Amino acid sequence: MALRSDVTRRLGSKLCRFCGAALKRTFVDLGMSPFCETYPSEADLDKGETYYPLHVYVCDECLLVQLEEFQSPESIFSDYAYFSSYSDSWLKHAENYCGKMIAKLNLDKRSFVVEVASNDGYLLQYFVKRQVPVLGIEPAANLYKAAVEKGVPTLTQFFGVELAKELVAERGGADLVLGNNVLAQVPDLNDFVEGLKILLNADGVLTLEFPHLLRLIERNEFDTIYHEHFSYFSLLTTVRIMEAHGLKVFDVEELASHGGSLRVYACRAENQLHRIEASVQNLIEQENNAGQNSPEGYSGFAEKVKQVKLDLVDFLITAAREGKSVAGYGAPGKSATLLQYCGIGKDLIRYTVDRSAYKQGRFLPGSHIPIYHPDRIRETKPDFVMILPWNLRSEIVEQLKFIREWGGRFIVPIPKVEIF
Ligand SMILES: [Zn+2]
């Protein structure tokens, strides 16, 4: 299969990020939305915002589901608001991963581990603690600083073929290369994956974690589609992309993170240390059974998404007519996609709350729904609280059970609208 080169990427629009074929088939069109990680402050409200299409295509040739990129990665990542170290469960996930890989690959002080998009060093710090030499690569300057403070050597650069070659020339190949939640955000996919291959030494192992398209479709997680995520991967397309760059996917695990993710293990195609495990074929069969091995199999999602909009807006309008108040809980990036697509503003949801001090006093992008401290819920006693980070549903219901004192109820919008 021909690969898309950087030249075709610049010349043409709507060409597949991986194979270069023209993109003609709509997966879902979510309308227009501002960038979801930009939370306007009070002063920004008078300035207006730029909206970009959230029109997702599936490539007829290679089946990669994708959005066009409308913003340079430099501007997305220069000052990224998401610090991985803020989440306890994510830190635990990272620590477990390190222990597992040290045992599996016999890593020690002579080994070399590289993480691409290493965030604030939340993961590599556990290798550092166990004396395994590491290098983080993180383009966001504020995250880079936090990583260095943790004692994690970090380069503040974008990763691709050029940087991989420099690193190999300086330090030799890596025994373990990892990338968590970065593959979806890479505009030049072929340059990035080729870079990963170059960086791996002959016996080296690559692990990549990313949200699994099969779960996104099954669980109707359309709000995880946003401008910062350019590509949405099935295992089938992942194997194809890796093969095109001389890499072999030899194992895969399913993880609960981000609404259902995959951890894919790969090595150089010629590496004989790793046989392809049954897990790979089993999961590809699940995808085939769901119709994901043909372009036609991707139809039907848009209709499911529309149903959420009809049910949610219907409920909110009825509540508004009856004089009931609705507040949100949480201000995750995905809330912007949901609210913009459904056309929900302050007239239907008065405010939302978030634990992040950075977001309090700011506004949701597009809808300009104000974000307050969580105490606001107890003070204003809303009739309904809509849980925007539905992936944390049970945790939030437990935290907010006090709303029952005044007869408050919860709304969960996804996978389908539920009131309880
Ligand atoms: Zn393609």
Side-chain angles (χ1 to χ4, degrees):
M1 187 177 293
L3 298 186
R4 176 166 156 178
S5 72
D6 215 28
V7 178
T8 52
R9 192 164 74 84
R10 278 194 215 100
L11 290 176
S13 64
K14 294 205 180 88
L15 295 183
C16 172
R17 175 165 296 118
F18 169 55
C19 79
L23 296 173
K24 290 176 280 190
R25 188 180 296 268
T26 294
F27 173 60
V28 65
D29 184 353
L30 298 170
M32 304 281 286
S33 181
F35 293 130
C36 76
E37 293 286 355
T38 311
Y39 295 86
S41 67
E42 182 101 48
D44 297 329
L45 294 183
D46 302 328
K47 291 183 191 150
E49 279 167 289
T50 310
Y51 280 59
Y52 299 88
L54 263 183
H55 189 157
V56 190
Y57 293 88
V58 55
C59 175
D60 278 333
E61 296 295 318
C62 74
L63 304 174
L64 179 64
V65 171
Q66 57 198 293
L67 267 180
E68 282 184 83
E69 70 255 29
F70 293 98
Q71 191 185 31
S72 70
E74 284 80 1
S75 60
I76 296 180
F77 296 114
S78 61
D79 201 16
Y80 202 53
Y82 187 75
F83 279 73
S84 293
S85 293
Y86 288 174
S87 162
D88 292 341
S89 58
W90 193 238
L91 285 177
K92 192 71 210 154
H93 176 79
E95 189 173 11
N96 291 343
Y97 168 85
C98 290
K100 181 173 176 168
M101 296 312 287
I102 287 172
K104 201 175 167 115
L105 304 179
N106 296 316
L107 300 175
D108 60 25
K109 58 180 190 299
R110 292 158 301 175
S111 309
F112 183 36
V113 175
V114 179
E115 182 178 17
V116 179
S118 51
N119 203 276
D120 58 1
Y122 75 101
L123 187 147
L124 289 178
Q125 65 179 338
Y126 298 109
F127 283 115
V128 171
K129 274 185 196 151
R130 298 185 54 180
Q131 273 95 45
V132 177
V134 301
L135 179 68
I137 299 169
E138 175 50 63
N142 58 334
L143 296 176
Y144 158 81
K145 266 187 247 152
V148 171
E149 280 161 19
K150 286 191 184 70
V152 175
T154 302
L155 284 179
T156 169
Q157 265 173 281
F158 279 94
F159 182 76
V161 166
E162 202 183 325
L163 180 57
K165 283 182 176 162
E166 279 172 33
L167 291 174
V168 171
E170 276 170 32
R171 307 194 46 162
D175 302 289
L176 172 63
V177 177
L178 66 131
N180 290 347
N181 298 306
V182 60
L183 203 58
Q185 307 185 16
V186 170
D188 193 346
L189 192 55
N190 288 317
D191 184 66
F192 184 85
V193 176
E194 185 64 23
L196 295 174
K197 200 260 312 273
I198 291 170
L199 188 54
L200 272 186
N201 71 24
D203 296 343
V205 167
L206 166 69
T207 72
L208 295 168
E209 289 180 26
F210 48 84
H212 189 197
L213 181 63
L214 182 65
R215 304 300 166 222
L216 185 155
I217 294 175
E218 271 177 3
R219 298 173 190 165
N220 210 14
E221 297 165 350
F222 71 88
D223 58 345
T224 63
I225 295 170
Y226 40 80
H227 295 109
E228 287 81 346
H229 287 174
F230 305 139
S231 312
Y232 301 82
F233 298 94
S234 63
L235 182 59
L236 184 74
T237 54
T238 307
V239 167
R240 228 175 239 174
I241 293 164
M242 295 296 144
E243 278 176 357
H245 291 280
L247 291 164
K248 167 172 83 176
V249 171
F250 64 86
D251 200 3
V252 62
E253 288 167 22
E254 292 193 78
L255 310 170
S257 46
H258 298 280
S261 294
L262 295 183
R263 178 186 291 151
V264 162
Y265 293 79
C267 61
R268 286 175 174 260
E270 61 275 16
N271 181 338
Q272 295 302 315
L273 293 172
H274 304 283
R275 285 192 20 243
I276 299 178
E277 303 287 335
S279 57
V280 177
Q281 196 48 41
N282 290 345
L283 203 52
I284 288 179
E285 270 166 34
Q286 275 189 51
E287 293 179 344
N288 292 348
N289 292 338
Q292 292 187 5
N293 51 352
S294 78
E296 296 77 23
Y298 292 79
S299 62
F301 182 65
E303 199 49 45
K304 261 172 62 181
V305 168
K306 193 167 109 191
Q307 200 55 49
V308 167
K309 175 174 183 167
L310 297 178
D311 292 346
L312 187 59
V313 174
D314 200 25
F315 176 82
L316 292 174
I317 288 177
T318 305
R321 283 191 202 283
E322 290 173 357
K324 301 274 203 288
S325 56
V326 182
Y329 186 93
K334 55 178 169 270
S335 60
T337 299
L338 175 76
L339 300 175
Q340 288 306 302
Y341 167 68
C342 295
I344 296 168
K346 291 189 287 255
D347 40 4
L348 296 177
I349 296 184
R350 295 183 185 180
Y351 65 85
T352 190
V353 298
D354 199 278
R355 285 166 135 186
S356 151
Y358 171 81
K359 293 178 186 172
Q360 291 163 13
R362 291 178 178 263
F363 297 81
L364 291 179
S367 65
H368 292 178
I369 291 172
I371 308 167
Y372 297 115
H373 186 278
D375 285 350
R376 184 95 176 181
I377 290 185
R378 210 183 268 281
E379 290 158 17
T380 61
K381 301 186 171 49
D383 297 302
F384 296 98
V385 174
M386 181 150 112
I387 299 176
L388 294 165
W390 41 259
N391 49 319
L392 305 174
R393 167 188 176 144
S394 41
E395 201 176 316
I396 293 168
V397 167
E398 179 58 27
Q399 274 168 31
L400 295 188
K401 59 183 178 209
F402 60 84
I403 72 166
R404 305 293 188 195
E405 289 165 19
W406 60 83
R409 297 168 77 193
F410 294 101
I411 309 170
V412 172
I414 284 172
K416 58 183 178 36
V417 178
E418 244 185 287
I419 319 290
F420 57 96

